[in-house]
Amino acid sequence: MSAEEPETEAEDEEEDIRYFVRIGQTDLDGTKSVERSLSEMNGIGKRTARIIAEKADIDRRAVIGKLEDEEIDEIIELVEGFAGEVPEWMVNHQSGFFSGDSTHEIGNDLDMTRRRDINRMKMIDSYRGVRHKRGQKVRGQRTKSTGRSEGTIGVNVEAIKEQQAEEAEGGEE
């Protein structure tokens, strides 16, 4: 019977795990570590996830699905209030156009904010907005030899071979 007891304890530990932990509008994988599952959210990278785990006083390698409700609530509070916990240079949306506040956007809010900023640049015809409209590179990359949307660069050897074959066939007839 002693051989059966460890198996039931292992089964109980597996049953105690939450397979999905919801933070914001995102379902996180409960079988992964705190750092890895947080970094899967849009707007949170490895460094941000590590800072959140440190501020919550939770081991970053702990499985997020096995955490207590209080610890998960603390992580949620830190994720939602991340802009107030760190310096302004570390947030992902600094000095917003309308409010002037620096915020840290996560999940779908990050996509909506980015889309709204790009649309505003297009409407006011700023340099970056014009580049976005044309579908060109925006951040100063080289465009002489890269970023081409049509055609091939250089000599098209296949087309030359086909043309020579057609000429050879036409000359034989």
Side-chain angles (χ1 to χ4, degrees):
M1 282 220 165
S2 62
E4 293 178 13
E5 291 176 11
E7 291 178 13
T8 56
E9 290 177 13
E11 290 174 5
D12 289 341
E13 289 178 13
E14 289 179 12
E15 291 175 6
D16 290 345
I17 193 169
R18 291 187 204 158
Y19 290 100
F20 295 104
V21 177
R22 188 149 182 93
I23 295 180
Q25 303 135 354
T26 309
D27 287 333
L28 302 179
D29 188 1
T31 60
K32 295 183 179 178
S33 67
V34 172
E35 184 178 6
R36 180 165 293 191
S37 60
L38 281 176
S39 64
E40 289 177 355
M41 289 180 69
N42 283 344
I44 296 182
K46 291 180 181 179
R47 182 176 187 176
T48 306
R50 183 173 291 186
I51 289 171
I52 289 171
E54 285 177 8
K55 290 203 181 267
D57 199 27
I58 296 171
D59 182 26
R60 63 186 173 95
R61 295 175 300 241
V63 177
I64 197 166
K66 291 184 180 180
L67 296 178
E68 300 293 325
D69 291 337
E70 297 83 26
E71 294 172 327
I72 291 175
D73 291 340
E74 190 172 351
I75 290 174
I76 291 171
E77 288 176 18
L78 286 169
V79 167
E80 291 173 353
F82 186 73
E85 298 287 329
V86 295
E88 186 174 340
W89 57 266
M90 199 168 181
V91 298
N92 61 7
H93 193 249
Q94 298 165 357
S95 59
F97 181 74
F98 297 107
S99 65
D101 297 335
S102 294
T103 58
H104 192 84
E105 305 291 338
I106 57 169
N108 295 336
D109 295 338
L110 179 63
D111 295 331
M112 288 182 1
T113 303
R114 184 178 296 140
R115 201 174 310 119
R116 186 174 57 234
D117 288 345
I118 291 172
N119 285 337
R120 184 178 47 81
M121 285 188 281
K122 287 179 183 178
M123 285 187 342
I124 64 174
D125 280 340
S126 68
Y127 177 78
R128 288 178 64 191
V130 170
R131 303 289 289 185
H132 273 291
K133 278 183 186 178
R134 293 180 182 170
Q136 295 176 327
K137 306 267 184 181
V138 176
R139 295 189 174 189
Q141 298 95 326
R142 293 180 180 267
T143 56
K144 183 175 182 179
S145 60
T146 62
R148 299 186 184 204
S149 58
E150 293 183 16
T152 57
I153 300 171
V155 179
N156 191 348
V157 177
E158 293 175 3
I160 293 172
K161 287 182 180 178
E162 288 177 9
Q163 185 179 8
Q164 289 175 348
E166 289 175 6
E167 289 174 0
E169 289 176 12
E172 292 176 5
E173 292 179 21

